[in-house]
């Protein structure tokens, strides 16, 4: 004989109990939650039955005896948990109040607002602003809040950072004034110094008129010497003392020609040495024209190199930049070359990008993004290199050097024109 084991109605492993636990997972409607009993009902009928129960009536009796005590307790708990979430999750950033509240109610055991002094989120936000715990402002998009951290350590750290920034700015301004002053002094010295006259090369006198040669004795020439070029002579005067026969005259003429040809190599060598001398003089003058860098210029270059080494990082993402997605494999190329705005930067290398066209929010690494260059007159920010963090207006593009020319808007270098590579500057989003 076989016996069947039947489960009780309220057994923990009964199908109905399992179904109730599955339904109880997740969040339910707040209007069907009893804060006094800390019980969540799934529908209106269940909430009505709970309100008529004996345990709820007993809790209502306790609440009726001292309602202010319960309301104060729940209000303090709600405010404490809300501010703790705001501080831990967002810090001192300006954020939408409704976004913080939606994250707060994700916890099933949170203190509900309908059990506090405040009947709406707007009233609670206004309370935070009046009590000085948050900076609140109302916009067409709703209420925005920013947490004010009153921790002494945090305040001391912020004051130290602000003091360091002021000292850096003062040092930069002081150095710039010193450099300008020294440049003016050097310019005055250059203007006051007498101008040195450049050496004038002596001119070679030119021979005018016919060249005359008088040969008293014929010179012997080497038989193997061959002369290809002969300098033309305008006039030859040959004096011969004994001219008895025609043969002697012809021999004297041949000797005259050989003498003339032997004199031509010496003139050629003379001209060659003269040209070499002039080349050496030219090279010396060229070397003297190269001006050595002054101590001030070397100091400025050394300062720029140290600043470049200090500000050159392997990350460049910042909030408020307009970037372009360069990942072809993301959603089958749906977002390829689409532009978005960087919202929050996570761990320096990852950013939440909100697409401008459709409003989608993507989480992308900086290797999948590219800087954007606006049209001339657009506002940009230097994201890497010597001028990191400076904002400026785009003046023009240097296509040959793949750089942009910006006019700095703020800081001690305000009004200066700088040249920055394409990848070190990016367009900023204007709301």
């Amino acid at each position: 004989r076989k016996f069947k084991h039947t489960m009780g109605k309220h057994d923990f492993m009964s199908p109905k109990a399992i179904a109730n636990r599955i339904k109880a997972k997740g969040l339910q409607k707040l209007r069907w939650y009893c804060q006094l009993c800390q019980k969540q009902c799934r529908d209106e009928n269940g909430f009505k039955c709970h309100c008529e129960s004996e345990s709820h009536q007993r809790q209502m009796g306790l609440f009726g005896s001292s309602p202010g005590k319960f309301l104060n307790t729940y209000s303090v708990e709600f405010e404490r948990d809300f501010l703790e979430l705001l501080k831990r999750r967002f810090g001192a950033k300006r954020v939408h109040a409704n976004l913080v509240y939606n994250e707060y109610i994700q916890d099933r055991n949170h203190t509900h607002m309908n059990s506090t002094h405040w009947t709406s989120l707007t009233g609670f936000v206004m309370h935070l602003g009046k009590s000085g715990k948050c900076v609140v402002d109302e916009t067409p998009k709703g209420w925005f809040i920013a947490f004010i951290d009153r921790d002494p350590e945090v305040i001391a750290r912020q004051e130290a950072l602000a003091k360091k920034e002021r000292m850096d700015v003062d040092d930069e301004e002081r150095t710039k004034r010193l450099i300008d002053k020294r440049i003016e002094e050097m310019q005055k010295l250059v203007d006051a110094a007498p101008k040195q006259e450049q050496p004038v090369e002596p001119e070679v006198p030119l021979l005018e008129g016919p060249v005359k040669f008088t040969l008293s004795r014929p010179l012997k020439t080497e038989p193997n010497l061959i002369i290809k070029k002969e300098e033309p002579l305008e006039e030859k005067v040959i004096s011969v003392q004994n001219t008895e026969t025609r043969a002697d005259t012809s021999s004297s003429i041949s000797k005259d020609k050989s003498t003339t040809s032997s004199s031509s190599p010496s003139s050629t060598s003379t001209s060659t040495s003269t040209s070499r001398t002039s080349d050496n003089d030219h090279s010396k003058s060229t070397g003297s024209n190269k001006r050595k860098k002054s101590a001030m210029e070397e100091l400025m270059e050394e300062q720029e190199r140290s600043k470049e080494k200090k500000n050159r990082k392997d990350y460049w993402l910042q909030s408020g930049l307009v970037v372009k997605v360069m990942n072809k494999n993301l959603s089958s190329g749906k977002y390829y070359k689409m532009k978005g705005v960087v919202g929050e930067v996570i761990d320096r290398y990852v950013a939440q990008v909100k697409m401008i066209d459709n409003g989608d929010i993507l989480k992308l690494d900086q290797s999948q993004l590219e800087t954007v260059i606006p049209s001339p007159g657009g506002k940009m920010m230097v994201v890497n290199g010597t001028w990191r963090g400076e904002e400026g207006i785009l003046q023009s593009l240097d296509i040959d050097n793949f750089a942009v020319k910006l006019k700095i808007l703020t800081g001690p270098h305000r009004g200066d024109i700088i040249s920055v590579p394409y990848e070190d500057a990016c367009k900023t989003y204007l709301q």
Side-chain angles (χ1 to χ4, degrees):
R1 189 174 182 181
K2 298 180 179 179
F3 296 93
K4 291 185 177 180
H5 175 70
T6 57
M7 293 184 180
K9 182 177 180 182
H10 301 289
D11 196 341
F12 181 75
M13 295 304 295
S14 64
K16 185 173 183 180
I18 295 174
N20 288 339
R21 286 197 299 273
I22 293 174
K23 293 177 183 177
K25 286 183 178 180
L27 300 176
Q28 305 292 328
K29 291 188 177 181
L30 296 180
R31 61 178 179 175
W32 295 332
Y33 182 83
C34 178
Q35 184 67 50
L36 286 174
C37 304
Q38 296 183 356
K39 179 178 178 58
Q40 176 69 58
C41 300
R42 288 194 295 273
D43 52 16
E44 187 175 359
N45 185 42
F47 185 71
K48 181 179 179 182
C49 294
H50 169 72
C51 292
E52 295 175 356
S53 64
E54 183 179 355
S55 61
H56 180 75
Q57 294 297 329
R58 186 165 52 252
Q59 292 292 335
M60 289 299 296
L62 295 175
F63 177 78
S65 61
S66 58
K69 179 181 178 181
F70 283 90
L71 287 177
N72 291 335
T73 302
Y74 291 139
S75 299
V76 171
E77 291 180 357
F78 178 81
E79 181 180 352
R80 182 191 65 216
D81 297 341
F82 188 90
L83 291 177
E84 183 180 357
L85 174 66
L86 178 62
K87 176 183 178 181
R88 183 181 68 254
R89 178 68 176 83
F90 300 99
K93 294 182 180 179
R94 179 176 175 269
V95 64
H96 202 286
N98 198 26
L99 177 62
V100 183
Y101 181 73
N102 287 336
E103 291 197 13
Y104 173 74
I105 63 176
Q106 296 298 319
D107 183 12
R108 290 183 59 190
N109 299 321
H110 72 277
T111 303
H112 290 64
M113 186 181 289
N114 54 11
S115 61
T116 62
H117 291 295
W118 308 287
T119 58
S120 63
L121 182 61
T122 300
F124 176 65
V125 171
M126 294 177 66
H127 162 73
L128 294 178
K130 291 178 181 179
S131 60
K133 297 177 180 178
C134 292
V135 178
V136 301
D137 59 320
E138 186 179 8
T139 64
K141 295 182 179 180
W143 286 90
F144 284 81
I145 59 176
F147 180 70
I148 301 176
D149 200 342
R150 303 290 186 182
D151 190 1
E153 295 181 358
V154 176
I155 294 175
R157 192 183 309 115
Q158 292 177 354
E159 291 179 354
L161 290 175
K163 183 178 179 180
K164 184 177 181 299
E165 290 179 357
R166 289 196 300 270
M167 291 177 63
D168 293 341
V169 172
D170 294 341
D171 291 341
E172 290 182 0
E173 292 181 353
R174 192 181 304 109
T175 305
K176 187 179 180 181
R177 288 197 299 267
L178 179 62
I179 292 173
D180 294 340
K181 183 178 180 180
R182 290 188 178 179
I183 290 174
E184 292 179 358
E185 292 177 356
M186 294 296 294
Q187 188 65 33
K188 290 180 180 179
L189 292 176
V190 171
D191 295 340
K195 296 183 179 180
Q196 298 180 357
E197 297 181 356
Q198 297 182 354
V200 180
E201 297 181 358
E203 298 181 355
V204 180
L206 300 178
L207 297 176
E208 297 181 358
V211 179
K212 299 181 179 181
F213 291 91
T214 304
L215 302 178
S216 60
R217 181 183 298 175
L219 299 176
K220 295 182 180 180
T221 58
E222 298 180 2
N224 296 330
L225 184 60
I226 301 175
I227 299 175
K228 295 182 178 180
K229 295 183 180 180
E230 294 183 358
E231 294 182 0
L233 299 176
E234 297 181 359
E235 182 178 354
K236 297 179 182 180
V237 179
I238 302 172
S239 60
V240 182
Q241 297 179 358
N242 300 320
T243 54
E244 295 178 353
T245 59
R246 187 175 298 175
D248 296 337
T249 305
S250 61
S251 63
S252 64
I253 294 174
S254 62
K255 291 180 181 180
D256 185 16
K257 289 183 178 181
S258 63
T259 305
T260 306
S261 62
S262 63
S263 63
S264 60
S266 61
S267 62
T268 305
S269 61
T270 304
S271 61
T272 305
S273 61
T274 305
S275 62
R276 289 178 181 176
T277 305
S278 62
D279 292 339
N280 294 333
D281 295 340
H282 177 70
S283 62
K284 291 180 180 179
S285 61
T286 305
S288 62
N289 289 335
K290 292 183 179 179
R291 184 178 60 87
K292 293 184 179 180
K293 295 182 180 179
S294 62
M296 182 58 59
E297 292 175 348
E298 292 179 356
L299 177 63
M300 295 174 64
E301 291 181 358
E302 181 66 25
Q303 185 179 5
E304 290 183 359
R305 284 194 296 268
S306 62
K307 197 173 182 180
E308 169 72 19
K309 184 177 180 180
K310 177 182 177 181
N311 294 334
R312 176 65 61 179
K313 309 291 183 182
D314 58 347
Y315 56 89
W316 55 271
L317 290 174
Q318 297 185 32
S319 300
L321 298 179
V322 179
V323 295
K324 186 186 295 183
V325 180
M326 301 305 294
N327 189 352
K328 296 182 180 179
N329 300 325
L330 184 62
S331 299
S332 301
K334 175 182 177 182
Y335 300 101
Y336 182 60
K337 288 192 176 181
M338 288 183 63
K339 296 179 181 179
V341 181
V342 177
E344 181 183 0
V345 180
I346 304 171
D347 296 333
R348 296 180 178 179
Y349 300 94
V350 182
Q352 289 184 355
V353 182
K354 183 177 181 181
M355 309 311 296
I356 297 177
D357 295 340
N358 49 24
D360 294 347
I361 298 178
L362 307 177
K363 189 175 181 181
L364 301 172
D365 188 82
Q366 69 173 9
S367 60
Q368 301 174 351
L369 301 174
E370 189 180 69
T371 58
V372 175
I373 299 176
S375 56
K379 190 175 181 180
M380 300 186 71
M381 175 182 287
V382 182
V383 297
N384 212 344
T386 305
W387 306 97
R388 184 185 181 97
E390 298 287 350
E391 295 183 354
I393 299 296
L394 177 61
Q395 301 295 316
S396 62
L397 298 177
D398 190 357
I399 300 177
D400 296 335
N401 297 323
F402 302 99
V404 295
K405 291 186 177 180
L406 303 178
K407 183 178 181 181
I408 299 180
L409 295 178
T410 57
H413 300 281
R414 180 178 181 180
D416 294 351
I417 304 296
I418 61 175
S419 180
V420 182
Y422 288 159
E423 63 273 11
D424 289 351
C426 186
K427 178 183 177 181
T428 56
Y429 182 70
L430 300 177
Q431 296 183 354

